[in-house]
């Protein structure tokens, strides 16, 4: 059961209520089970999502938030802005129009800019979750 919280306008709402407005996947198993777009287009939902993510990351120190293609760009830039850090776009292999140091991310076939020096601690934003992998500096 979800906890009830108070919002700024004194109306009660469920904790992480915005998860209930996500649209179900209709394109098959290849795609995420729920589409977060409904959260992104609802200002209050997006705001509450970011508040929750920032509070979940309160003990995480990062220099940059990395976003994986498409939905990770939306979530990652917003989260980076809230955390007052930079944003690192990670694109599918061959999609960047500049020379870059590539690195593979899991089995997804993503290449991106390799973090070095100024950006040693990275939070990765994708449609499904936020991760803060330990990495050296």
């Amino acid at each position: 059961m979800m906890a009830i919280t108070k919002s700024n306008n004194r109306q009660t709402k469920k904790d992480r209520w915005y998860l209930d407005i996500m649209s179900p996947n209709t394109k098959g198993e290849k795609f995420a089970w729920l589409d977060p777009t409904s959260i992104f287009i609802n200002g209050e939902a997006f705001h509450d999502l970011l508040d929750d993510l920032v509070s979940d990351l309160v003990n995480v120190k990062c220099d940059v938030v990395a976003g994986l293609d498409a939905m990770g760009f939306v979530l990652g830039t917003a989260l980076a802005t809230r955390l007052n850090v930079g944003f690192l776009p990670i694109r599918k292999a061959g999609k960047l129009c500049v020379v870059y140091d590539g690195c593979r991310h899991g089995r997804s076939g993503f290449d991106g800019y390799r973090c070095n020096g100024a950006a040693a601690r990275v939070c990765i934003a994708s449609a499904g979750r936020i991760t803060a992998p330990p990495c050296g500096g």
Side-chain angles (χ1 to χ4, degrees):
M1 180 155 188
M2 293 185 158
I4 301 294
T5 61
K6 294 266 186 192
S7 68
N8 290 339
N9 60 8
R10 298 188 185 256
Q11 294 177 343
T12 59
K13 60 183 171 184
K14 291 191 287 184
D15 187 33
R16 301 184 193 253
W17 64 273
Y18 45 80
L19 296 175
D20 293 338
I21 68 170
M22 290 180 28
S23 302
N25 166 21
T26 59
K27 290 191 171 185
E29 293 179 17
K30 178 177 165 183
F31 296 88
W33 183 64
L34 294 172
D35 179 7
T37 305
S38 298
I39 294 174
F40 298 157
I41 62 174
N42 179 314
E44 184 178 5
F46 199 21
H47 184 272
D48 287 355
L49 167 67
L50 291 169
D51 283 349
D52 288 342
L53 290 174
V54 168
S55 71
D56 289 347
L57 295 170
V58 71
N59 294 319
V60 174
K61 303 293 183 223
C62 69
D63 299 312
V64 65
V65 172
L68 303 180
D69 246 350
M71 296 300 177
F73 289 0
V74 175
L75 187 56
T77 54
L79 185 58
T81 300
R82 284 283 189 97
L83 295 174
N84 199 31
V85 297
F87 175 72
L88 173 72
I90 299 178
R91 300 284 317 269
K92 290 180 183 166
K95 298 292 184 183
L96 290 173
C97 60
V98 295
V99 176
Y100 62 94
D101 289 330
C103 55
R104 305 239 349 126
H105 175 73
R107 62 175 195 231
S108 59
F110 283 89
D111 285 344
Y113 294 103
R114 180 166 289 136
C115 298
N116 55 34
R121 297 169 296 183
V122 180
C123 286
I124 300 173
S126 66
R129 62 179 176 246
I130 302 294
T131 57
C135 46

